[in-house]
Amino acid sequence: MTSPAPHDDALLIAGKAYRSRLLTGTGKFTDLDQTRAATEAAAAEIVTVAIRRTNIGQNPDEPNLLDVLPLDRYTLLPNTAGCYSAEEAVRTCRLARELLDGHNLTKLEVLGDRKTLFPDVVQTLKAAEQLVADGFDVMVYTSDDPILAKRLEEIGCVAVMPLAAPIGSGLGIQNRYNLLEIVENAKVPIIVDAGVGTASDAAIAMELGCDGVLMNTAIAGAKDPVRMARAMKLAVQAGRDAFLAGRIPRKRYASASSPIDGLIG
Ligand SMILES: CC(=O)[C@@H](O)[C@H](O)COP(=O)(O)O
């Protein structure tokens, strides 16, 4: 049997196919040139933007992110970073849709507190319901709770994005069994969002069967963001290939690498 070439293995989100399974954030870079260079090195196709913090045309006198990440090349994923209630998040998504001429794809995050930046799951569910009813394609940041992930899928979110660890912590995947449970039960893409620290974290997420990884701090905060972006691209690709190839089972005892049948003497 021939394995599909990696480029046949598209990530489908809201009816659109993407070759890249690495989604990147646009915050925390030194300047727009670095944002562009790192995003290119990551080979990201979907880039997320904090609508309340980033100029995508609201302030005509300030540098515009879209000058370095043009809409004909990237799929913009406006996000609701900084929102602490369903109401604020819904309002922010509507503002983004207005600014972007009816663009329906959105990343919902409703935060619970400023210390952990964990999602407020009650407010997240409420906002997701309203946004889906309002015609948005909602990619939703959530905790790594499998029951909640399923509820968000049932509501109609187009992708569910459980955290690996708190946003910006770089702690890597804290509960791989929860992620596995979420992935095994999902009918929509599962994209790990937040908490990745280095390339091996991204590879593990993909080896677990996640459909993609979204990250910002691990790239933007690295000593060499462009180099880290490239490392993340390769890690996501390697993890995906390893998942599709199927890992060998773990065994307690050794099994010789060379066959012992037909040994002389
Ligand atoms: C960029 C974004 O949308 C956030 O959810 C978050 O910033 C990602 O987390 P890390 O910064 O930990 O990668």
Side-chain angles (χ1 to χ4, degrees):
M1 198 179 93
T2 322
S3 310
H7 59 266
D8 291 336
D9 176 38
L11 168 66
L12 279 176
I13 295 181
K16 190 167 168 192
Y18 298 91
R19 290 172 69 154
S20 171
R21 290 173 179 271
L22 173 56
L23 293 73
T24 53
T26 52
K28 298 184 179 171
F29 289 101
T30 319
D31 54 32
L32 287 183
D33 277 344
Q34 193 183 64
T35 312
R36 179 192 45 73
T39 311
E40 279 175 10
E45 293 173 297
I46 302 179
V47 290
T48 189
V49 179
I51 253 0
R52 304 173 89 195
R53 299 184 187 132
T54 314
N55 183 29
I56 56 164
Q58 311 93 307
N59 308 312
D61 300 332
E62 282 176 23
N64 185 335
L65 182 79
L66 301 184
D67 290 340
V68 294
L69 302 181
L71 290 174
D72 56 2
R73 179 157 175 202
Y74 295 98
T75 295
L76 212 64
L77 179 60
N79 72 57
T80 60
C83 293
Y84 286 83
S85 70
E87 205 188 344
E88 265 185 305
V90 170
R91 203 181 323 120
T92 304
C93 289
R94 288 184 179 145
L95 172 73
R97 181 155 69 179
E98 231 174 87
L99 270 171
L100 295 166
D101 288 334
H103 179 84
N104 277 325
L105 191 65
T106 196
K107 184 190 151 196
L108 171 64
E109 55 177 80
V110 187
L111 304 174
D113 71 41
R114 283 168 216 278
K115 182 178 169 201
T116 65
L117 299 182
F118 280 141
D120 180 323
V121 296
V122 175
Q123 293 294 309
T124 299
L125 273 169
K126 191 172 158 194
E129 270 168 351
Q130 288 181 24
L131 290 169
V132 170
D134 202 3
F136 283 93
D137 293 321
V138 181
M139 300 175 69
V140 59
Y141 164 69
T142 181
S143 67
D144 62 7
D145 176 347
I147 307 300
L148 183 67
K150 197 66 197 169
R151 291 281 177 277
L152 289 163
E153 175 188 316
E154 286 163 356
I155 284 172
C157 294
V158 297
V160 175
M161 305 206 287
L163 51 77
I167 293 172
S169 69
L171 284 173
I173 294 164
Q174 296 302 291
N175 195 334
R176 62 176 73 189
Y177 294 103
N178 275 27
L179 284 183
L180 201 55
E181 187 64 22
I182 292 172
V183 166
E184 283 177 358
N185 288 323
K187 294 198 181 74
V188 294
I190 300 299
I191 295 171
V192 161
D193 174 12
V196 164
T198 189
S200 53
D201 300 330
I204 291 169
M206 298 307 292
E207 287 170 8
L208 288 170
C210 292
D211 299 278
V213 182
L214 189 153
M215 65 181 75
N216 188 178
T217 310
I219 294 176
K223 262 194 283 187
D224 183 341
V226 174
R227 193 170 197 145
M228 184 58 90
R230 192 174 65 227
M232 291 300 188
K233 172 186 80 176
L234 297 172
V236 167
Q237 288 172 351
R240 177 66 181 175
D241 250 2
F243 169 71
L244 293 176
R247 64 153 296 134
I248 59 165
R250 291 179 175 85
K251 290 188 201 150
R252 187 160 167 205
Y253 296 108
S255 79
S257 298
S258 334
I260 48 170
D261 293 348
L263 271 188
I264 300 165

mmCIF file of all heavy atoms in Angstrom, residues 203-243:
data_model
loop_
_atom_site.group_PDB
_atom_site.id
_atom_site.type_symbol
_atom_site.label_atom_id
_atom_site.label_comp_id
_atom_site.label_asym_id
_atom_site.label_seq_id
_atom_site.Cartn_x
_atom_site.Cartn_y
_atom_site.Cartn_z
ATOM 1 N N ALA A 203 5.771 17.943 18.376
ATOM 2 C CA ALA A 203 5.820 16.594 17.788
ATOM 3 C C ALA A 203 4.954 15.626 18.595
ATOM 4 O O ALA A 203 4.212 14.816 18.024
ATOM 5 C CB ALA A 203 7.262 16.111 17.723
ATOM 6 N N ILE A 204 5.003 15.733 19.913
ATOM 7 C CA ILE A 204 4.191 14.824 20.757
ATOM 8 C C ILE A 204 2.702 15.051 20.490
ATOM 9 O O ILE A 204 1.931 14.101 20.349
ATOM 10 C CB ILE A 204 4.526 14.999 22.260
ATOM 11 C CG1 ILE A 204 5.930 14.464 22.541
ATOM 12 C CG2 ILE A 204 3.496 14.283 23.143
ATOM 13 C CD1 ILE A 204 6.472 14.808 23.917
ATOM 14 N N ALA A 205 2.304 16.318 20.407
ATOM 15 C CA ALA A 205 0.885 16.606 20.134
ATOM 16 C C ALA A 205 0.454 15.928 18.838
ATOM 17 O O ALA A 205 -0.615 15.310 18.757
ATOM 18 C CB ALA A 205 0.667 18.119 20.043
ATOM 19 N N MET A 206 1.281 16.021 17.825
ATOM 20 C CA MET A 206 0.930 15.435 16.529
ATOM 21 C C MET A 206 0.973 13.907 16.591
ATOM 22 O O MET A 206 0.144 13.228 15.985
ATOM 23 C CB MET A 206 1.864 15.958 15.436
ATOM 24 C CG MET A 206 1.793 17.462 15.202
ATOM 25 S SD MET A 206 0.134 18.094 14.898
ATOM 26 C CE MET A 206 -0.244 17.369 13.309
ATOM 27 N N GLU A 207 1.940 13.366 17.319
ATOM 28 C CA GLU A 207 2.029 11.897 17.448
ATOM 29 C C GLU A 207 0.802 11.338 18.174
ATOM 30 O O GLU A 207 0.395 10.201 17.953
ATOM 31 C CB GLU A 207 3.294 11.497 18.210
ATOM 32 C CG GLU A 207 4.557 11.675 17.392
ATOM 33 C CD GLU A 207 5.822 11.502 18.218
ATOM 34 O OE1 GLU A 207 5.735 11.101 19.399
ATOM 35 O OE2 GLU A 207 6.903 11.791 17.684
ATOM 36 N N LEU A 208 0.210 12.150 19.043
ATOM 37 C CA LEU A 208 -1.016 11.708 19.734
ATOM 38 C C LEU A 208 -2.206 11.670 18.788
ATOM 39 O O LEU A 208 -3.255 11.113 19.114
ATOM 40 C CB LEU A 208 -1.332 12.655 20.901
ATOM 41 C CG LEU A 208 -0.422 12.567 22.119
ATOM 42 C CD1 LEU A 208 -0.704 13.714 23.083
ATOM 43 C CD2 LEU A 208 -0.617 11.231 22.825
ATOM 44 N N GLY A 209 -2.059 12.305 17.632
ATOM 45 C CA GLY A 209 -3.163 12.305 16.667
ATOM 46 C C GLY A 209 -3.864 13.639 16.559
ATOM 47 O O GLY A 209 -4.894 13.743 15.864
ATOM 48 N N CYS A 210 -3.343 14.654 17.234
ATOM 49 C CA CYS A 210 -3.946 15.981 17.068
ATOM 50 C C CYS A 210 -3.787 16.395 15.609
ATOM 51 O O CYS A 210 -2.871 15.972 14.923
ATOM 52 C CB CYS A 210 -3.251 16.998 17.976
ATOM 53 S SG CYS A 210 -3.569 16.677 19.716
ATOM 54 N N ASP A 211 -4.709 17.241 15.157
ATOM 55 C CA ASP A 211 -4.715 17.618 13.736
ATOM 56 C C ASP A 211 -3.816 18.804 13.440
ATOM 57 O O ASP A 211 -3.523 19.083 12.271
ATOM 58 C CB ASP A 211 -6.154 17.938 13.309
ATOM 59 C CG ASP A 211 -7.031 16.708 13.484
ATOM 60 O OD1 ASP A 211 -7.022 15.855 12.591
ATOM 61 O OD2 ASP A 211 -7.690 16.576 14.536
ATOM 62 N N GLY A 212 -3.425 19.509 14.476
ATOM 63 C CA GLY A 212 -2.555 20.660 14.269
ATOM 64 C C GLY A 212 -2.139 21.236 15.608
ATOM 65 O O GLY A 212 -2.598 20.792 16.670
ATOM 66 N N VAL A 213 -1.269 22.232 15.538
ATOM 67 C CA VAL A 213 -0.812 22.913 16.751
ATOM 68 C C VAL A 213 -0.816 24.413 16.475
ATOM 69 O O VAL A 213 -0.381 24.843 15.402
ATOM 70 C CB VAL A 213 0.631 22.480 17.139
ATOM 71 C CG1 VAL A 213 1.062 23.163 18.433
ATOM 72 C CG2 VAL A 213 0.742 20.973 17.282
ATOM 73 N N LEU A 214 -1.331 25.172 17.437
ATOM 74 C CA LEU A 214 -1.273 26.629 17.344
ATOM 75 C C LEU A 214 -0.325 27.128 18.425
ATOM 76 O O LEU A 214 -0.442 26.717 19.587
ATOM 77 C CB LEU A 214 -2.658 27.246 17.522
ATOM 78 C CG LEU A 214 -2.760 28.760 17.240
ATOM 79 C CD1 LEU A 214 -4.178 29.121 16.803
ATOM 80 C CD2 LEU A 214 -2.373 29.619 18.419
ATOM 81 N N MET A 215 0.590 27.980 18.051
ATOM 82 C CA MET A 215 1.522 28.498 19.060
ATOM 83 C C MET A 215 1.953 29.919 18.737
ATOM 84 O O MET A 215 1.921 30.345 17.576
ATOM 85 C CB MET A 215 2.753 27.603 19.134
ATOM 86 C CG MET A 215 3.576 27.614 17.865
ATOM 87 S SD MET A 215 5.013 26.542 17.948
ATOM 88 C CE MET A 215 4.298 24.924 17.784
ATOM 89 N N ASN A 216 2.381 30.608 19.776
ATOM 90 C CA ASN A 216 2.894 31.961 19.616
ATOM 91 C C ASN A 216 4.196 32.143 20.399
ATOM 92 O O ASN A 216 5.267 32.362 19.839
ATOM 93 C CB ASN A 216 1.828 32.949 20.077
ATOM 94 C CG ASN A 216 2.164 34.406 19.792
ATOM 95 O OD1 ASN A 216 1.378 35.287 20.070
ATOM 96 N ND2 ASN A 216 3.315 34.706 19.225
ATOM 97 N N THR A 217 4.097 32.005 21.729
ATOM 98 C CA THR A 217 5.230 32.355 22.586
ATOM 99 C C THR A 217 6.482 31.536 22.292
ATOM 100 O O THR A 217 7.594 32.079 22.308
ATOM 101 C CB THR A 217 4.822 32.171 24.066
ATOM 102 O OG1 THR A 217 3.580 32.841 24.277
ATOM 103 C CG2 THR A 217 5.865 32.734 25.004
ATOM 104 N N ALA A 218 6.329 30.244 22.030
ATOM 105 C CA ALA A 218 7.513 29.395 21.824
ATOM 106 C C ALA A 218 8.334 29.900 20.647
ATOM 107 O O ALA A 218 9.562 29.794 20.650
ATOM 108 C CB ALA A 218 7.089 27.944 21.600
ATOM 109 N N ILE A 219 7.664 30.474 19.654
ATOM 110 C CA ILE A 219 8.392 31.009 18.500
ATOM 111 C C ILE A 219 8.848 32.446 18.785
ATOM 112 O O ILE A 219 10.036 32.754 18.719
ATOM 113 C CB ILE A 219 7.511 30.967 17.226
ATOM 114 C CG1 ILE A 219 7.236 29.501 16.836
ATOM 115 C CG2 ILE A 219 8.170 31.719 16.079
ATOM 116 C CD1 ILE A 219 6.306 29.315 15.650
ATOM 117 N N ALA A 220 7.889 33.296 19.125
ATOM 118 C CA ALA A 220 8.223 34.725 19.287
ATOM 119 C C ALA A 220 9.189 34.966 20.444
ATOM 120 O O ALA A 220 9.982 35.908 20.410
ATOM 121 C CB ALA A 220 6.944 35.534 19.488
ATOM 122 N N GLY A 221 9.146 34.110 21.459
ATOM 123 C CA GLY A 221 9.986 34.308 22.644
ATOM 124 C C GLY A 221 11.324 33.598 22.550
ATOM 125 O O GLY A 221 12.164 33.727 23.452
ATOM 126 N N ALA A 222 11.559 32.855 21.483
ATOM 127 C CA ALA A 222 12.836 32.135 21.359
ATOM 128 C C ALA A 222 13.965 33.132 21.086
ATOM 129 O O ALA A 222 13.717 34.233 20.609
ATOM 130 C CB ALA A 222 12.747 31.125 20.210
ATOM 131 N N LYS A 223 15.204 32.725 21.372
ATOM 132 C CA LYS A 223 16.346 33.611 21.093
ATOM 133 C C LYS A 223 16.411 33.923 19.603
ATOM 134 O O LYS A 223 16.725 35.024 19.198
ATOM 135 C CB LYS A 223 17.650 32.929 21.540
ATOM 136 C CG LYS A 223 18.106 33.395 22.901
ATOM 137 C CD LYS A 223 19.529 32.999 23.174
ATOM 138 C CE LYS A 223 19.561 31.525 23.539
ATOM 139 N NZ LYS A 223 20.811 30.997 23.980
ATOM 140 N N ASP A 224 16.102 32.903 18.806
ATOM 141 C CA ASP A 224 16.098 33.082 17.351
ATOM 142 C C ASP A 224 14.722 32.633 16.827
ATOM 143 O O ASP A 224 14.518 31.463 16.500
ATOM 144 C CB ASP A 224 17.220 32.241 16.741
ATOM 145 C CG ASP A 224 17.336 32.424 15.233
ATOM 146 O OD1 ASP A 224 16.367 32.893 14.602
ATOM 147 O OD2 ASP A 224 18.391 32.081 14.694
ATOM 148 N N PRO A 225 13.766 33.548 16.788
ATOM 149 C CA PRO A 225 12.384 33.172 16.430
ATOM 150 C C PRO A 225 12.265 32.510 15.058
ATOM 151 O O PRO A 225 11.470 31.585 14.883
ATOM 152 C CB PRO A 225 11.629 34.492 16.475
ATOM 153 C CG PRO A 225 12.403 35.360 17.378
ATOM 154 C CD PRO A 225 13.839 34.979 17.165
ATOM 155 N N VAL A 226 13.051 32.969 14.094
ATOM 156 C CA VAL A 226 12.923 32.411 12.747
ATOM 157 C C VAL A 226 13.392 30.961 12.734
ATOM 158 O O VAL A 226 12.750 30.071 12.161
ATOM 159 C CB VAL A 226 13.701 33.283 11.727
ATOM 160 C CG1 VAL A 226 13.702 32.638 10.354
ATOM 161 C CG2 VAL A 226 13.076 34.675 11.661
ATOM 162 N N ARG A 227 14.490 30.714 13.422
ATOM 163 C CA ARG A 227 15.009 29.350 13.495
ATOM 164 C C ARG A 227 14.041 28.438 14.250
ATOM 165 O O ARG A 227 13.796 27.298 13.871
ATOM 166 C CB ARG A 227 16.368 29.381 14.193
ATOM 167 C CG ARG A 227 17.105 28.106 14.032
ATOM 168 C CD ARG A 227 18.534 28.241 14.508
ATOM 169 N NE ARG A 227 19.275 27.125 13.964
ATOM 170 C CZ ARG A 227 20.528 27.199 13.582
ATOM 171 N NH1 ARG A 227 21.185 28.312 13.664
ATOM 172 N NH2 ARG A 227 21.123 26.120 13.114
ATOM 173 N N MET A 228 13.458 28.967 15.337
ATOM 174 C CA MET A 228 12.492 28.151 16.101
ATOM 175 C C MET A 228 11.243 27.887 15.256
ATOM 176 O O MET A 228 10.660 26.800 15.318
ATOM 177 C CB MET A 228 12.120 28.851 17.414
ATOM 178 C CG MET A 228 11.199 28.027 18.296
ATOM 179 S SD MET A 228 11.883 26.400 18.751
ATOM 180 C CE MET A 228 12.735 26.817 20.269
ATOM 181 N N ALA A 229 10.843 28.865 14.466
ATOM 182 C CA ALA A 229 9.667 28.669 13.601
ATOM 183 C C ALA A 229 9.915 27.514 12.640
ATOM 184 O O ALA A 229 9.045 26.672 12.411
ATOM 185 C CB ALA A 229 9.373 29.950 12.823
ATOM 186 N N ARG A 230 11.124 27.473 12.104
ATOM 187 C CA ARG A 230 11.454 26.378 11.180
ATOM 188 C C ARG A 230 11.463 25.038 11.930
ATOM 189 O O ARG A 230 10.960 24.034 11.444
ATOM 190 C CB ARG A 230 12.823 26.657 10.542
ATOM 191 C CG ARG A 230 13.125 25.761 9.369
ATOM 192 C CD ARG A 230 14.403 26.148 8.669
ATOM 193 N NE ARG A 230 15.562 25.958 9.514
ATOM 194 C CZ ARG A 230 16.539 26.855 9.684
ATOM 195 N NH1 ARG A 230 16.486 28.003 9.069
ATOM 196 N NH2 ARG A 230 17.561 26.600 10.471
ATOM 197 N N ALA A 231 12.029 25.045 13.135
ATOM 198 C CA ALA A 231 12.053 23.813 13.936
ATOM 199 C C ALA A 231 10.632 23.326 14.217
ATOM 200 O O ALA A 231 10.334 22.121 14.144
ATOM 201 C CB ALA A 231 12.781 24.066 15.258
ATOM 202 N N MET A 232 9.732 24.259 14.490
ATOM 203 C CA MET A 232 8.338 23.891 14.785
ATOM 204 C C MET A 232 7.650 23.318 13.546
ATOM 205 O O MET A 232 6.874 22.370 13.629
ATOM 206 C CB MET A 232 7.563 25.099 15.301
ATOM 207 C CG MET A 232 7.999 25.562 16.675
ATOM 208 S SD MET A 232 7.771 24.253 17.912
ATOM 209 C CE MET A 232 8.133 25.174 19.412
ATOM 210 N N LYS A 233 7.942 23.901 12.410
ATOM 211 C CA LYS A 233 7.365 23.387 11.155
ATOM 212 C C LYS A 233 7.788 21.923 10.977
ATOM 213 O O LYS A 233 6.954 21.040 10.701
ATOM 214 C CB LYS A 233 7.858 24.231 9.971
ATOM 215 C CG LYS A 233 7.472 23.675 8.614
ATOM 216 C CD LYS A 233 8.091 24.423 7.460
ATOM 217 C CE LYS A 233 9.528 23.996 7.249
ATOM 218 N NZ LYS A 233 10.179 24.593 6.087
ATOM 219 N N LEU A 234 9.083 21.671 11.156
ATOM 220 C CA LEU A 234 9.591 20.309 10.945
ATOM 221 C C LEU A 234 9.036 19.351 12.001
ATOM 222 O O LEU A 234 8.713 18.196 11.700
ATOM 223 C CB LEU A 234 11.129 20.313 10.968
ATOM 224 C CG LEU A 234 11.767 21.135 9.834
ATOM 225 C CD1 LEU A 234 13.272 21.254 10.019
ATOM 226 C CD2 LEU A 234 11.454 20.521 8.468
ATOM 227 N N ALA A 235 8.906 19.836 13.225
ATOM 228 C CA ALA A 235 8.395 18.979 14.309
ATOM 229 C C ALA A 235 6.947 18.580 14.051
ATOM 230 O O ALA A 235 6.550 17.421 14.265
ATOM 231 C CB ALA A 235 8.505 19.712 15.647
ATOM 232 N N VAL A 236 6.152 19.533 13.589
ATOM 233 C CA VAL A 236 4.735 19.242 13.299
ATOM 234 C C VAL A 236 4.643 18.242 12.146
ATOM 235 O O VAL A 236 3.874 17.271 12.192
ATOM 236 C CB VAL A 236 3.956 20.552 13.013
ATOM 237 C CG1 VAL A 236 2.591 20.264 12.405
ATOM 238 C CG2 VAL A 236 3.793 21.347 14.302
ATOM 239 N N GLN A 237 5.466 18.444 11.139
ATOM 240 C CA GLN A 237 5.459 17.502 9.998
ATOM 241 C C GLN A 237 5.923 16.114 10.447
ATOM 242 O O GLN A 237 5.317 15.092 10.089
ATOM 243 C CB GLN A 237 6.373 18.011 8.874
ATOM 244 C CG GLN A 237 5.790 19.224 8.148
ATOM 245 C CD GLN A 237 6.771 19.857 7.165
ATOM 246 O OE1 GLN A 237 7.954 19.517 7.123
ATOM 247 N NE2 GLN A 237 6.286 20.806 6.388
ATOM 248 N N ALA A 238 6.985 16.073 11.241
ATOM 249 C CA ALA A 238 7.520 14.773 11.681
ATOM 250 C C ALA A 238 6.513 14.053 12.570
ATOM 251 O O ALA A 238 6.275 12.843 12.432
ATOM 252 C CB ALA A 238 8.832 14.984 12.436
ATOM 253 N N GLY A 239 5.888 14.807 13.477
ATOM 254 C CA GLY A 239 4.907 14.195 14.379
ATOM 255 C C GLY A 239 3.707 13.658 13.612
ATOM 256 O O GLY A 239 3.196 12.574 13.904
ATOM 257 N N ARG A 240 3.279 14.395 12.599
ATOM 258 C CA ARG A 240 2.138 13.948 11.789
ATOM 259 C C ARG A 240 2.495 12.662 11.035
ATOM 260 O O ARG A 240 1.725 11.710 10.989
ATOM 261 C CB ARG A 240 1.755 15.057 10.807
ATOM 262 C CG ARG A 240 0.631 14.705 9.857
ATOM 263 C CD ARG A 240 -0.674 14.505 10.586
ATOM 264 N NE ARG A 240 -1.746 14.151 9.681
ATOM 265 C CZ ARG A 240 -2.973 13.824 10.068
ATOM 266 N NH1 ARG A 240 -3.283 13.776 11.356
ATOM 267 N NH2 ARG A 240 -3.905 13.533 9.191
ATOM 268 N N ASP A 241 3.689 12.663 10.440
ATOM 269 C CA ASP A 241 4.111 11.478 9.686
ATOM 270 C C ASP A 241 4.229 10.268 10.614
ATOM 271 O O ASP A 241 3.834 9.160 10.253
ATOM 272 C CB ASP A 241 5.454 11.745 9.005
ATOM 273 C CG ASP A 241 5.299 11.840 7.497
ATOM 274 O OD1 ASP A 241 4.144 11.737 7.011
ATOM 275 O OD2 ASP A 241 6.308 12.009 6.800
ATOM 276 N N ALA A 242 4.776 10.487 11.799
ATOM 277 C CA ALA A 242 4.941 9.377 12.755
ATOM 278 C C ALA A 242 3.570 8.840 13.161
ATOM 279 O O ALA A 242 3.365 7.625 13.264
ATOM 280 C CB ALA A 242 5.716 9.853 13.973
ATOM 281 N N PHE A 243 2.607 9.751 13.359
ATOM 282 C CA PHE A 243 1.245 9.319 13.722
ATOM 283 C C PHE A 243 0.652 8.466 12.604
ATOM 284 O O PHE A 243 0.096 7.391 12.843
ATOM 285 C CB PHE A 243 0.370 10.541 13.995
ATOM 286 C CG PHE A 243 -1.094 10.211 14.113
ATOM 287 C CD1 PHE A 243 -1.581 9.519 15.221
ATOM 288 C CD2 PHE A 243 -1.989 10.571 13.112
ATOM 289 C CE1 PHE A 243 -2.932 9.203 15.323
ATOM 290 C CE2 PHE A 243 -3.335 10.252 13.208
ATOM 291 C CZ PHE A 243 -3.812 9.563 14.316
#
